[in-house]
Amino acid sequence: MLDAQLQTQLQSYLTHVKQPFELVATLDDSASSTELRQLLDTIARLSDGKITARFDGQASRRPSFALRRPDGGPDLTFAAVPLGHEFTSLVLALLWTGGHPPKVAPELIEQVRALPGEHHFEVYMSLSCHNCPDVVQALSLMAILNPRVHTAVIDGALFPAEVEQRNVMAVPLVLRNGEVFLSGRTSLEEIVAKLDTGAQARAAAAIAAKDPFDVLIVGGGPAGAAAAVYAARKGIRTGLVAERFGGQVNDTLAIENYISVLETDGPRFAAALEAQVRHYEVDLMNGQAVAALQPAEQPGGWIGVRLANGAALQARSVILATGARWRNLNVPGEAEYKNRGVAYCPHCDGPLFKGKRVAVIGGGNSGVEAAIDLAGIVQHVTLLEFADQLKADAVLVSKLRSLPNVTVLTQAQTLEVQGDGQRVTGLRWRDRASGAEHVLPLEGVFVQIGLVPNTEWLDGVVERNRYGEIVVDAKGHTNVPGVFAAGDCTTVPYKQIVIAAGEGAKAALSAFDYLIRTPQPQPEVAAAAT
């Protein structure tokens, strides 16, 4: 199950287990049960007696295993063989159950422990989903910290009948007390905020009490992180507010073109970005959406940033690094059937469509790569491209056309996602050459048609082009004094991680240059603005 190198690493991790506990497995005669038995036996053998494995469990899901301390807790079950992207989740669950402290802010731990009520969570994931581990780890930790939280982690590929019955067509999907609670990548902070109704008010009050910043960065992707590091190293008061630190990077499977990093994945890269930002004296406000920007009344004055929770921040300069998001088709049925057949991540949701018919919309690199990946899982893939030829790299197109279960349609305009009220059943499209309309019977639609900048909230405040990108000059200046922008939300071409990081550094240097050449507002003005 685990090669020698991975076993050595695991053995090293398990030295941090401080208190004994059991792994109680419920198995059957399936191949996955055999794999799970081998995995649990290996863990027990490498734990130096601190972890024991039993195989007499009576759980309803087979295969599965529960983690049990002598005190009876926690109520945490894996109905899975947690390898792939979930191996880290397994290791962390073992360490936390064994008393090793999590790397989580103490105040957040206390917030989890204080949550009232009973919470029965079921989180459906797939081992190929790079968005799932954050949710799995968050809910696992909650079950370990709070006896009123009960968590079952379920690999949808092992329980297809259950997935079909519950209409699970996208992962991660979380049910709470039998009802859909959330879907998609979500942090521990966000989950706790949904459960703790007073969290947003407390966060708003704490943020509103902060002193003004020299530079405030809006956005936590590569551009925002680089800007924060460069600004903090100048010794100026730096703040960063982000709705989701890491941004799009969190949703990127493989990164193989960031100079000096031979290969990594999005979540690991995002974690490294956050670690470096936290290494400096940056006031990081994560999980906070920004609602409005108020330019200074005069050059050198205080710029206001209002958050969605009502809190207001002040800064002498602002760097906008809000990034971009996946573009929607904006056709009938897309919103209605999102996560019920309409998906945006082939790596995460592809395994749920095993043996089914799917379409991929978009003929760029992302679309063609998605079609290639899906072809190895599903029955048939139809790729639809609006233009008269695919826009992806030639090597990808050649690979795609070599696959026997792929059909490529060019000059194909998507008109409607059709369904039966519960899930997707087909796709209506128009042949732009002949004008004829067709209906393609299928069970899944994967949308891969590019990006749209997260700049709507700046309408009428900062100059943007017709695509919504913030207009910047060679130094990252916008048309508003003291306001700079960087990364995928700007007019800078080529939306790449390395370019965004460079632009973020440039924007921070430009902001510093602006600050040293601009008179500082009087303290009483700052107090009045706050």
Side-chain angles (χ1 to χ4, degrees):
M1 288 295 293
L2 304 178
D3 61 32
Q5 181 180 359
L6 204 53
Q7 288 193 37
T8 299
Q9 292 175 345
L10 178 58
Q11 187 172 27
S12 175
Y13 292 140
L14 294 179
T15 60
H16 297 290
V17 173
K18 299 177 181 179
Q19 58 189 52
F21 63 93
E22 290 183 324
L23 303 175
V24 183
T26 301
L27 305 179
D28 54 21
D29 57 359
S30 65
S32 54
S33 285
T34 301
E35 292 179 351
L36 182 57
R37 178 185 284 270
Q38 293 173 353
L39 177 61
L40 300 186
D41 277 336
T42 299
I43 292 170
R45 175 172 55 82
L46 297 176
S47 70
D48 196 25
K50 295 177 183 175
I51 303 174
T52 55
R54 288 172 36 202
F55 302 96
D56 56 354
Q58 299 299 315
S60 59
R61 294 186 180 97
R62 299 170 183 260
S64 66
F65 69 97
L67 294 83
R68 290 284 183 270
R69 291 190 301 256
D71 62 6
D75 189 357
L76 172 60
T77 301
F78 283 82
V81 184
L83 299 173
H85 285 292
E86 293 301 342
F87 183 66
T88 299
S89 301
L90 169 62
V91 172
L92 290 173
L94 295 173
L95 297 181
W96 295 335
T97 302
H100 187 67
K103 294 182 179 179
V104 176
E107 58 270 21
L108 183 57
I109 290 176
E110 291 308 311
Q111 195 176 356
V112 171
R113 286 175 170 156
L115 285 173
E118 293 288 323
H119 308 279
H120 294 266
F121 290 109
E122 296 167 291
V123 51
Y124 290 88
M125 57 79 177
S126 71
L127 300 183
S128 60
C129 171
H130 58 282
N131 288 325
C132 294
D134 277 4
V135 179
V136 170
Q137 291 163 25
L139 292 173
S140 297
L141 180 58
M142 290 175 64
I144 291 167
L145 293 175
N146 188 329
R148 295 178 298 280
V149 175
H150 319 273
T151 298
V153 179
I154 307 154
D155 180 0
L158 291 184
F159 301 90
E162 182 176 335
V163 163
E164 187 79 14
Q165 178 186 8
R166 288 191 153 179
N167 203 25
V168 179
M169 304 190 74
V171 291
L173 177 72
V174 178
L175 276 63
R176 173 180 170 270
N177 299 339
E179 301 292 332
V180 174
F181 177 67
L182 61 86
S183 63
R185 190 186 190 101
T186 313
S187 68
L188 175 61
E189 292 89 344
E190 291 169 318
I191 294 172
V192 173
K194 285 175 66 72
L195 298 171
D196 185 352
T197 55
Q200 282 294 323
R202 293 195 301 273
I207 290 172
K210 294 181 182 293
D211 292 332
F213 295 95
D214 290 312
V215 59
L216 178 64
I217 298 140
V218 181
V229 169
Y230 267 71
R233 284 173 60 88
K234 292 294 185 181
I236 58 179
R237 178 166 162 73
T238 304
L240 187 152
V241 58
E243 191 166 359
R244 182 179 64 146
F245 194 93
Q248 283 183 82
V249 166
N250 288 304
D251 305 322
T252 303
L253 183 61
I255 299 172
E256 300 175 346
N257 57 359
Y258 194 86
I259 307 306
S260 83
V261 180
L262 185 62
E263 181 181 1
T264 186
D265 59 45
R268 279 194 294 169
F269 189 83
L273 290 178
E274 182 172 352
Q276 187 166 15
V277 168
R278 291 189 182 277
H279 177 73
Y280 295 95
E281 293 185 4
V282 177
D283 190 336
L284 177 55
M285 295 159 275
N286 197 15
Q288 300 296 331
V290 175
L293 177 74
Q294 178 62 52
E297 295 182 359
Q298 57 189 18
W302 297 103
I303 301 167
V305 173
R306 180 170 56 81
L307 306 188
N309 63 16
L313 294 167
Q314 300 287 330
R316 294 178 61 199
S317 64
V318 169
I319 298 174
L320 303 171
T322 51
R325 63 188 183 276
W326 288 114
R327 187 181 300 276
N328 291 323
L329 288 168
N330 293 320
V331 298
E334 179 184 22
E336 180 182 357
Y337 291 104
K338 183 178 180 182
N339 295 331
R340 294 195 291 168
V342 174
Y344 301 85
C345 179
H347 306 293
C348 302
D349 301 330
L352 300 176
F353 293 84
K354 183 178 181 179
K356 298 181 179 180
R357 301 161 298 177
V358 304
V360 173
I361 314 298
N365 282 347
S366 296
V368 172
E369 288 174 354
I372 292 171
D373 287 344
L374 290 166
I377 303 172
V378 305
Q379 179 190 101
H380 191 272
V381 179
T382 302
L383 184 142
L384 295 88
E385 164 58 38
F386 185 84
D388 59 0
Q389 60 183 350
L390 302 183
K391 295 169 287 188
D393 296 341
V395 64
L396 294 175
V397 174
S398 176
K399 172 65 176 178
L400 179 73
R401 294 190 182 278
S402 73
L403 300 174
N405 62 334
V406 173
T407 300
V408 177
L409 302 174
T410 55
Q411 297 199 73
Q413 179 183 3
T414 303
L415 300 176
E416 180 187 9
V417 177
Q418 298 181 335
D420 60 6
Q422 296 296 320
R423 61 186 67 198
V424 168
T425 60
L427 185 74
R428 185 166 63 90
W429 64 280
R430 176 186 293 122
D431 185 330
R432 297 177 56 239
S434 67
E437 292 190 10
H438 306 271
V439 173
L440 183 66
L442 44 69
E443 290 76 40
V445 178
F446 288 82
V447 181
Q448 301 281 294
I449 56 173
L451 303 171
V452 58
N454 298 315
T455 60
E456 294 88 347
W457 62 285
L458 295 166
D459 189 28
V461 179
V462 175
E463 182 185 359
R464 300 178 297 155
N465 66 11
R466 64 191 181 96
Y467 302 109
E469 298 169 326
I470 301 169
V471 177
V472 293
D473 66 11
K475 293 186 176 182
H477 294 88
T478 71
N479 65 313
V480 178
V483 177
F484 305 83
D488 288 3
C489 66
T490 73
T491 50
V492 171
Y494 310 118
K495 312 307 185 185
Q496 299 290 312
I497 294 174
V498 67
I499 293 174
E503 291 296 310
K506 183 198 300 181
L509 295 174
S510 295
F512 181 72
D513 184 70
Y514 167 83
L515 292 173
I516 63 177
R517 298 172 186 276
T518 305
Q520 184 167 347
Q522 295 299 313
E524 60 268 23
V525 176
T530 303

